[in-house]
Amino acid sequence: MKRRLTISFNAPVTLWLVVISFGATLAGILTGGVITEKFFMTYHSSLTDPFTYLRFVTYIFGHSGWSHFIGNASYLLLLGPMLEEKNGGKVMIEVVLITAVITALINYIFFPNVGLCGASGIVFAFIMLSSFTGFREGEIPLTFILVAVIYIGQQIYDGLFLTDNVSNMAHIIGGVIGAFMGYVLNKGGKRR
């Protein structure tokens, strides 16, 4: 008897992150950025505005356009399922929320004139977290060192020498959080 192929919803946290981001990006494009600015971008707004706190998390869903979304979605879909299988969905939600909130707070406090949107910080957290997949107690994976030098080093260089519309700070913060979480999660063995 032939077995029928089915499509599995194998990484729910990753898939929902990408699906919601797709919807938020589409809504932003269709409204000329109005929806993005109101709900999916964090910036220095009044602390009496409840949306300020909501946007500390929801900004990760908004993107400046399709190329921004596709770049982030590609990395999320590539790395997320492996990380979700290894660490579990609950841990991945923690990584996403911790990265989102810490990055938003740092942006709010230290970069009051900069709006932030997109899942790039989450992508960098996933990149650094994935470099810890072969971690053993008392060892530092060479893959982690190389990823840190290549990805984080590039962001530091870009932040110092390029003037563009990319938040290198979000990438660096995401990478640091991913590295920290990778170490903590793998130090005592697998956690779910």
Side-chain angles (χ1 to χ4, degrees):
M1 178 182 212
K2 271 190 172 181
R3 213 174 141 186
R4 208 172 71 177
L5 290 176
T6 59
I7 296 173
S8 65
F9 201 69
N10 62 320
V13 173
T14 302
L15 290 169
W16 279 115
L17 181 59
V18 171
V19 166
I20 295 168
S21 294
F22 174 83
T25 302
L26 178 62
I29 289 169
L30 292 176
T31 62
V34 172
I35 294 288
T36 302
E37 189 174 330
K38 180 71 176 168
F39 298 107
F40 301 112
M41 177 185 287
T42 187
Y43 45 85
H44 201 82
S45 54
S46 172
L47 292 175
T48 60
D49 179 1
F51 284 112
T52 298
Y53 304 99
L54 178 68
R55 288 188 297 258
F56 278 3
V57 174
T58 60
Y59 77 92
I60 65 172
F61 301 121
H63 289 79
S64 62
W66 288 122
S67 62
H68 187 207
F69 166 76
I70 290 168
N72 283 338
S74 299
Y75 276 108
L76 292 171
L77 291 169
L78 179 67
L79 299 169
M82 170 192 62
L83 292 170
E84 218 168 314
E85 183 178 327
K86 182 179 189 317
N87 299 300
K90 181 178 178 262
V91 168
M92 296 314 296
I93 290 170
E94 290 172 7
V95 170
V96 168
L97 290 176
I98 289 168
T99 304
V101 171
I102 289 175
T103 304
L105 285 171
I106 289 172
N107 189 70
Y108 187 90
I109 294 166
F110 296 107
F111 303 97
N113 298 321
V114 176
L116 192 61
C117 72
S120 301
I122 308 301
V123 165
F124 272 79
F126 279 21
I127 289 169
M128 295 307 290
L129 187 58
S130 70
S131 69
F132 272 92
T133 54
F135 178 79
R136 286 184 205 68
E137 188 74 43
E139 296 178 359
I140 298 174
L142 180 57
T143 53
F144 166 74
I145 294 168
L146 293 173
V147 167
V149 168
I150 293 168
Y151 279 95
I152 303 300
Q154 179 68 43
Q155 294 311 304
I156 292 169
Y157 175 84
D158 288 353
L160 292 173
F161 299 108
L162 294 180
T163 304
D164 55 19
N165 206 16
V166 175
S167 178
N168 303 100
M169 175 279 301
H171 297 171
I172 293 166
I173 298 300
V176 168
I177 291 169
F180 176 77
M181 293 292 286
Y183 177 78
V184 168
L185 291 171
N186 290 286
K187 186 174 186 232
K190 203 173 2 177
R191 180 180 129 191
R192 284 188 188 243

